[in-house]
Amino acid sequence: MKHDINNVEDLMKILNNTNLTEISFESEELKVTIKRPKLVAAAPQQVEVQESNTEVKEIKKIKEIKSYNVGQFTYHSKNGKTMIKVGDKIKEGQEIGYIHTIGVNSPVTSPYSGTVKEILVEEESLADYGKNLVLVELD
């Protein structure tokens, strides 16, 4: 099983480092097809807001919540309720979704408190290790 997980991770690395959108692997014990959507992830952003009549500059910090697992990302709970949506206030340590890998759901928790600005990965899309999942504007 560990060897199979290594094979899947290797396939995901190949998929991530190429322009492919689908890759397959088959052995006697395992058959895997990995697909990824044609998405363009937003780059980290720093926004500067300037109010003309008060001369106050406010810099809003945007941070990314990254995947620390490989699999399908979902931000709906087991009962079907949406765990996060754009505009939601979230807290550090809050579960915002799951990475589903070979029958196991691993929780994704936020390392930051703030407001969800953008969900970068579509529901049930492939999430590589280190992939940006969500943009959060820090409080």
Side-chain angles (χ1 to χ4, degrees):
M1 176 95 168
K2 184 166 178 73
H3 182 67
D4 292 335
I5 291 173
N6 288 338
N7 287 338
V8 172
E9 288 175 347
D10 290 342
L11 289 173
M12 294 186 84
K13 286 178 187 174
I14 292 168
L15 189 66
N16 194 36
N17 293 331
T18 64
N19 289 329
L20 298 175
T21 57
E22 183 176 328
I23 193 165
S24 298
F25 170 79
E26 188 172 341
S27 70
E28 292 178 13
E29 304 166 352
L30 179 70
K31 181 177 180 181
V32 176
T33 298
I34 302 172
K35 299 178 183 179
R36 72 171 175 185
K38 296 177 183 177
L39 292 177
V40 178
Q45 302 174 4
Q46 205 172 45
V47 179
E48 187 174 313
V49 177
Q50 185 174 3
E51 295 180 24
S52 60
N53 55 350
T54 60
E55 297 298 322
V56 174
K57 286 186 180 180
E58 179 183 345
I59 296 178
K60 296 180 180 181
K61 295 201 179 206
I62 307 287
K63 293 285 189 175
E64 304 88 8
I65 298 176
K66 296 182 181 291
S67 172
Y68 291 102
N69 209 335
V70 175
Q72 285 183 317
F73 176 63
T74 181
Y75 47 91
H76 286 88
S77 62
K78 293 175 187 174
N79 63 9
K81 289 188 176 182
T82 302
M83 298 175 77
I84 60 166
K85 61 185 178 300
V86 174
D88 280 358
K89 294 278 189 187
I90 59 173
K91 295 183 180 183
E92 183 177 344
Q94 178 179 335
E95 283 188 8
I96 62 160
Y98 296 95
I99 300 289
H100 181 77
T101 307
I102 309 176
V104 176
N105 282 336
S106 301
V108 177
T109 57
S110 175
Y112 313 108
S113 292
T115 304
V116 176
K117 283 301 185 190
E118 187 175 354
I119 300 172
L120 301 171
V121 178
E122 290 182 24
E123 178 71 13
E124 296 186 1
S125 290
L126 183 64
D128 295 331
Y129 179 86
K131 183 172 187 171
N132 294 335
L133 302 173
V134 177
L135 291 180
V136 177
E137 182 180 312
L138 302 181
D139 288 339

